[in-house]
Amino acid sequence: GENVEQHPSTLSVQEGDSAVIKCTYSDSASNYFPWYKQELGKRPQLIIDIRSNVGEKKDQRIAVTLNKTAKHFSLHITETQPEDSAVYFCAASLSGSARQLTFGSGTQLTVLP
Amino acid sequence: ETGVTQTPRHLVMGMTNKKSLKCEQHLGHNAMYWYKQSAKKPLELMFVYSLEERVENNSVPSRFSPECPNSSHLFLHLHTLQPEDSALYLCASSQERLAGYEQYFGPGTRLTVT
């Protein structure tokens, strides 16, 4: 089955700096890669996703890049703010269906004021 | 109520107890999921119900038993749990066959097994 590895497990950045979280996946058949944000004591929520026919996707301060050849994808947050502090999870879908999502272990991002 | 709701939000139970977790989705989705979230571990998919088909993770112990009476409700029946089962149990729903693939999570039930 699919295996998703996520790095780093913790990340601290100064407010205004950029943050990058990286994930690798094992199965080249995976074609859907979402990112979820989970604030302390709250539920995970989708913040951005990318499909295998696209190399990059951007939504305001958040961007995701995908390298299918290398089987890795990354989340980029620019101009970080304290409210970006949360745990971020990457995931990969083996068959393109939500039910097949395999999650990474999460990255605790702390934005220091 | 909108979105995905879960009850109870917190549960403390002894190893010999029997309890049930409830999840309800108000989004008209046709797939529902149970996840286990332990500290510093990936979200572990436990069970999936989609279009009345159950997809089960083979590593889930039999002391966890899901029930999906209809597309809006999902239960997780618990019996003779172990302390290592203490975790946050998250329910989620999604619309199968829709391009978005987004899973909507409930707030979770914080389970403590004593």
Side-chain angles (χ1 to χ4, degrees):
Chain A
E2 177 66 281
N3 181 48
V4 177
E5 294 194 359
Q6 183 172 347
H7 301 280
S9 57
T10 60
L11 177 61
S12 293
V13 298
Q14 290 294 136
E15 183 176 355
D17 286 351
S18 297
V20 180
I21 302 171
K22 298 181 179 181
C23 288
T24 60
Y25 61 99
S26 60
D27 196 316
S28 56
S30 290
N31 59 4
Y32 174 65
F33 308 93
W35 285 88
Y36 283 78
K37 175 184 179 183
Q38 186 176 24
E39 297 178 53
L40 187 62
K42 296 192 175 180
R43 70 194 75 189
Q45 290 190 295
L46 180 73
I47 55 171
I48 195 167
D49 57 16
I50 192 167
R51 289 170 178 78
S52 58
N53 57 348
V54 176
E56 183 176 358
K57 184 176 178 180
K58 203 170 181 181
D59 182 4
Q60 298 183 340
R61 297 185 297 107
I62 293 174
V64 58
T65 58
L66 171 64
N67 184 327
K68 285 219 70 175
T69 303
K71 289 190 282 188
H72 67 71
F73 57 111
S74 301
L75 178 71
H76 305 253
I77 306 175
T78 58
E79 300 171 24
T80 53
Q81 301 167 4
E83 53 265 36
D84 294 329
S85 295
V87 178
Y88 291 81
F89 294 95
C90 64
S93 174
L94 181 59
S95 68
S97 169
R99 72 170 85 174
Q100 302 290 345
L101 276 179
T102 301
F103 284 87
S105 54
T107 296
Q108 173 68 62
L109 173 65
T110 303
V111 179
L112 305 168
Chain B
E1 286 273 22
T2 58
V4 181
T5 58
Q6 289 185 243
T7 54
R9 295 295 308 277
H10 300 272
L11 177 62
V12 179
M13 59 186 288
M15 293 167 61
T16 58
N17 290 158
K18 289 185 180 181
K19 296 285 184 183
S20 295
L21 309 184
K22 179 183 176 182
C23 176
E24 185 173 358
Q25 61 96 1
H26 310 268
L27 300 167
H29 288 163
N30 57 13
M32 296 186 77
Y33 312 75
W34 280 116
Y35 285 92
K36 177 183 178 182
Q37 186 174 33
S38 305
K40 301 191 179 183
K41 283 188 173 182
L43 281 163
E44 298 174 56
L45 179 65
M46 299 177 73
F47 301 104
V48 180
Y49 276 86
S50 176
L51 301 171
E52 299 183 12
E53 173 192 355
R54 188 172 96 179
V55 178
E56 186 169 343
N57 184 325
N58 292 332
S59 64
V60 180
S62 59
R63 56 186 183 269
F64 295 92
S65 175
E67 179 190 359
C68 188
N70 54 60
S71 60
S72 299
H73 294 86
L74 185 65
F75 295 89
L76 187 62
H77 303 298
L78 316 171
H79 64 96
T80 58
L81 294 191
Q82 304 297 311
E84 60 264 30
D85 297 324
S86 298
L88 181 68
Y89 288 84
L90 289 162
C91 173
S93 71
S94 70
Q95 182 64 21
E96 292 289 279
R97 303 183 185 148
L98 190 68
Y101 303 134
E102 180 173 358
Q103 291 196 7
Y104 292 80
F105 286 86
T109 295
R110 175 67 63 186
L111 173 66
T112 303
V113 181
T114 60

